[in-house]
Amino acid sequence: MVVDALEDDVTVTLLDPDSPRQSLRVAAHALNVAQVVARLALTVPDWQDELSLAVSAALLQDLGMMEVPEEVFESTDLLTPTQRTLVQKHPCASVAIVQQMRGRDDRLADAVAQHHERLDGSGYPGHLRGNAIGPVARLLAGADSFVGIQSPRPYRPALNAAQAIVEIDRAAAEGRLDPAWTARLRSIETHWIKIPVAPEPPSSAPAVSARA
């Protein structure tokens, strides 16, 4: 992922072949979340007009992760308080980039800012609750969690789609995620192509597309 800041605009290139591993990881996650967001939104007729906004927010929500040091991503231990603070700043950093884009929609910046908020106030960065969290951000939160659970981390293996659904249902039951969206994940869980979140360096072996 490459972010080019111009005088009055910003250009974002996903999956640039010359990008470092961390950048590819962020870009792949964004593409995965965007797939899930699009498929979820398409299950609700009233959301057709919001589809472009929701997918754009999914692609841009983690731009700020590029400011998080690589060693935080690669750590096999739980994050330290300092590392957690760095990670939790990324929505604000993403918004700062989005706000430089020509023709931006304020709703886009709001959705990006809120994608890690939780209905019970346990999210970040603003610890917003309930209706203070916008509808697009609620969709992003469910999709982002669903994809993240199925992505490997240095400190834990990836779960499969069925296991991810169980975790998402638990989060909804505990009041963190919007059940209106999490309940729809079963209808799309086998219909998206998962791009590896941490692509390995190229090898002579043929590429295989993973499905969740």
Side-chain angles (χ1 to χ4, degrees), residues 135-148:
V136 177
R138 293 181 183 216
L139 167 57
L140 292 176
D144 184 75
S145 297
F146 181 63
V147 171

Side-chain angles (χ1 to χ4, degrees), residues 109-205:
D110 289 343
V112 168
Q114 297 174 7
H115 75 279
H116 275 293
E117 301 290 356
R118 296 294 181 261
L119 296 179
D120 63 354
S122 64
Y124 62 86
H127 304 290
L128 302 180
R129 289 177 175 269
N131 290 334
I133 304 170
V136 177
R138 293 181 183 216
L139 167 57
L140 292 176
D144 184 75
S145 297
F146 181 63
V147 171
I149 290 169
Q150 295 181 72
S151 304
R153 298 288 185 264
Y155 53 86
R156 64 151 175 84
L159 300 185
N160 61 36
Q163 293 169 321
I165 289 289
V166 171
E167 294 298 318
I168 294 297
D169 282 348
R170 180 180 296 117
E174 293 174 352
R176 298 195 302 277
L177 296 176
D178 188 342
W181 288 118
T182 59
R184 295 178 178 274
L185 283 169
R186 288 183 179 83
S187 68
I188 62 98
E189 64 175 282
T190 60
H191 299 292
W192 64 290
I193 300 174
K194 185 165 63 176
I195 300 169
V197 170
E200 296 295 337
S203 68
S204 57

Side-chain angles (χ1 to χ4, degrees), residues 16-211:
D16 184 281
D18 296 323
S19 296
R21 183 174 169 83
Q22 175 182 349
S23 179
L24 293 173
R25 181 190 294 110
V26 172
H29 180 75
L31 291 169
N32 286 331
V33 175
Q35 285 190 69
V36 175
V37 163
R39 293 183 182 277
L40 284 173
L42 287 170
T43 67
V44 184
D46 291 346
W47 267 74
Q48 305 311 302
D49 292 340
E50 302 294 331
L51 181 59
S52 177
L53 172 66
V55 171
S56 295
L59 291 171
L60 300 172
Q61 65 179 18
D62 283 338
L63 289 177
M65 278 292 194
M66 300 306 301
E67 297 184 7
V68 179
E70 176 71 14
E71 57 265 26
V72 174
F73 286 99
E74 299 296 341
S75 174
T76 58
D77 300 319
L78 293 177
L79 297 181
T80 66
T82 298
Q83 291 172 329
R84 186 170 298 278
T85 297
L86 287 172
V87 171
Q88 292 184 351
K89 288 181 178 179
H90 85 267
C92 296
S94 298
V95 169
I97 297 172
V98 169
Q99 288 177 332
Q100 298 177 59
M101 293 181 173
R102 183 183 299 132
R104 65 186 179 276
D105 185 330
D106 288 340
R107 296 178 303 160
L108 177 61
D110 289 343
V112 168
Q114 297 174 7
H115 75 279
H116 275 293
E117 301 290 356
R118 296 294 181 261
L119 296 179
D120 63 354
S122 64
Y124 62 86
H127 304 290
L128 302 180
R129 289 177 175 269
N131 290 334
I133 304 170
V136 177
R138 293 181 183 216
L139 167 57
L140 292 176
D144 184 75
S145 297
F146 181 63
V147 171
I149 290 169
Q150 295 181 72
S151 304
R153 298 288 185 264
Y155 53 86
R156 64 151 175 84
L159 300 185
N160 61 36
Q163 293 169 321
I165 289 289
V166 171
E167 294 298 318
I168 294 297
D169 282 348
R170 180 180 296 117
E174 293 174 352
R176 298 195 302 277
L177 296 176
D178 188 342
W181 288 118
T182 59
R184 295 178 178 274
L185 283 169
R186 288 183 179 83
S187 68
I188 62 98
E189 64 175 282
T190 60
H191 299 292
W192 64 290
I193 300 174
K194 185 165 63 176
I195 300 169
V197 170
E200 296 295 337
S203 68
S204 57
V208 177
S209 295
R211 290 183 179 267

